[in-house]
Amino acid sequence: MLRNLLALRQISQRTISTASRRQVKNRVPEMQKIFQEDNGIPVHLKGGVIDGLLYRTTMALTVFGTCYAVYELIVAAMPKKVK
């Protein structure tokens, strides 16, 4: 039992250690420079093509959802006539 606990302790120390992890380049200063530029582009579109695509998709879904909700409200407000 003690041997198992010691082995588990060694494994956990080895996996938590930061020395064995691959170092990742810090891209925060580059991104700050891009987002803080005063070039007339809104901040939610400065990320590039993907941001533009996400923005347009969100707007399209919002407009569609609003139109559909209004349509359903109109249908619910005008009950079908019974013959």
Side-chain angles (χ1 to χ4, degrees), residues 37-50:
E37 266 182 31
D38 187 19
N39 54 6
I41 299 174
V43 71
H44 59 275
L45 296 176
K46 285 189 178 185
V49 175
I50 299 296

Side-chain angles (χ1 to χ4, degrees), residues 8-10 29-30 33 40 52 54 62 79:
L8 183 63
R9 182 173 160 234
Q10 286 178 344
E30 297 168 19
K33 196 178 295 183
L54 286 172
T62 302

Side-chain angles (χ1 to χ4, degrees), residues 2 10 13 19 23-24 34-35 40 43 48 54 56 58 64:
L2 183 60
Q10 286 178 344
Q13 284 178 346
Q23 295 297 322
V24 178
I34 290 171
F35 281 97
V43 71
L54 286 172
R56 287 184 182 100
T58 303
F64 173 75

Side-chain angles (χ1 to χ4, degrees), residues 14-69:
R14 204 174 299 145
T15 58
I16 294 174
S17 172
T18 58
S20 65
R21 288 191 354 202
R22 184 175 57 130
Q23 295 297 322
V24 178
K25 182 182 173 192
N26 185 6
R27 294 181 45 209
V28 172
E30 297 168 19
M31 297 307 286
Q32 282 179 338
K33 196 178 295 183
I34 290 171
F35 281 97
Q36 290 177 354
E37 266 182 31
D38 187 19
N39 54 6
I41 299 174
V43 71
H44 59 275
L45 296 176
K46 285 189 178 185
V49 175
I50 299 296
D51 282 349
L53 183 64
L54 286 172
Y55 175 74
R56 287 184 182 100
T57 303
T58 303
M59 286 296 111
L61 287 171
T62 302
V63 169
F64 173 75
T66 302
C67 292
Y68 185 71

